Amino acid sequence: MKISELKVKKIIHRPTRSFDESGNRIYNEFEFELPYNPVHKGNETERLFAKVIDMAPFIMIIVLIFHQSFVFGILLSIPSVIISGAFCEGYFGTTFGKRIFNLKVLDDYGRQLDFPISLQRNFLCLANFRPVFTEHTSKTVAMGTQTRTHMNFSMHLNNKICKTYVVKESKVKEIQEMLLQEDKKAAR
């Protein structure tokens, strides 16, 4: 069984126009099977900051030890982070930056990545840094209606192509147990 094949049951209660004898609204219950999503909200921001944390030591080494400009340090740190990230994710399942945010990288089977997949995933991270702009409208009594533009980074392209997932370390055991249960069901 794969993470991409896992399903979760979701129950939705929809109100009807009917009421019971106590005057309480009667609800219809609908049950759906939806694809399991192991990724948590705010994942993109944590991953972006983790990447910056991973780049910082390389930038400091290039700027302070080799006396290069800051921009040149950033440019040289990118391939360094790609290669070191591939090694760290391949052997430890996480990088230093991801470790700070308690993130772990898993393949579609819920295991730690192999080095070639990790290397491919880290090379594809360059395509992730495209911003996504969304409009958000809020209405308050004091300020009236305000429309703001939010910028988010879509950081899922490399995971989609490589069939990997960046999850909280606390969810790894839950995911592996779900996979084991589904494998047991399939074996019956």
Side-chain angles (χ1 to χ4, degrees):
M1 183 58 97
K2 298 177 182 178
I3 295 174
S4 58
E5 297 171 352
L6 288 176
K7 303 278 186 205
V8 291
K9 289 184 180 178
K10 176 110 177 163
I11 297 174
I12 296 175
H13 300 276
R14 294 225 171 132
T16 65
R17 293 183 178 188
S18 306
F19 294 89
D20 63 10
E21 55 275 347
S22 302
N24 297 322
R25 185 177 294 274
I26 298 174
Y27 289 86
N28 286 335
E29 188 174 280
F30 297 98
E31 187 173 319
F32 298 97
E33 274 197 2
L34 300 172
Y36 177 67
N37 184 10
V39 178
H40 65 283
K41 188 173 179 151
N43 185 327
E44 296 91 1
T45 305
E46 288 181 356
R47 290 178 57 199
L48 179 64
F49 285 129
K51 191 63 77 178
V52 170
I53 290 169
D54 290 339
M55 289 177 72
F58 292 109
I59 294 171
M60 289 191 310
I61 289 170
I62 293 166
V63 171
L64 298 176
I65 295 177
F66 294 110
H67 305 292
Q68 299 296 323
S69 69
F70 186 73
V71 174
F72 192 66
I74 291 173
L75 291 174
L76 282 179
S77 70
I78 292 171
S80 303
V81 167
I82 289 171
I83 294 168
S84 69
F87 278 112
C88 290
E89 288 174 2
Y91 293 108
F92 304 115
T94 188
T95 63
F96 180 68
K98 287 183 184 76
R99 183 77 180 148
I100 289 173
F101 291 103
N102 294 322
L103 299 174
K104 196 155 180 95
V105 184
L106 302 174
D107 67 1
D108 205 18
Y109 294 97
R111 300 178 305 221
Q112 190 170 302
L113 300 183
D114 295 334
F115 179 73
I117 297 295
S118 180
L119 188 62
Q120 178 185 9
R121 185 184 171 285
N122 277 280
F123 271 116
L124 289 171
C125 80
L126 294 173
N128 279 336
F129 287 113
R130 66 177 173 84
V132 176
F133 297 98
T134 56
E135 272 192 9
H136 175 70
T137 304
S138 61
K139 191 173 189 177
T140 61
V141 175
M143 302 297 284
T145 303
Q146 293 181 334
T147 302
R148 295 184 178 132
T149 302
H150 292 281
M151 181 180 73
N152 295 319
F153 285 95
S154 175
M155 302 207 42
H156 298 292
L157 182 63
N158 61 345
N159 287 328
K160 192 178 276 189
I161 292 171
C162 297
K163 294 185 176 125
T164 57
Y165 300 89
V166 179
V167 298
K168 286 285 192 184
E169 285 185 18
S170 58
K171 286 199 97 162
V172 172
K173 190 172 184 175
E174 172 190 324
I175 292 167
Q176 290 171 342
E177 287 174 0
M178 288 177 71
L179 290 170
L180 187 63
Q181 287 175 357
E182 290 299 320
D183 284 340
K184 286 180 183 178
K185 285 181 188 177
R188 292 181 197 170

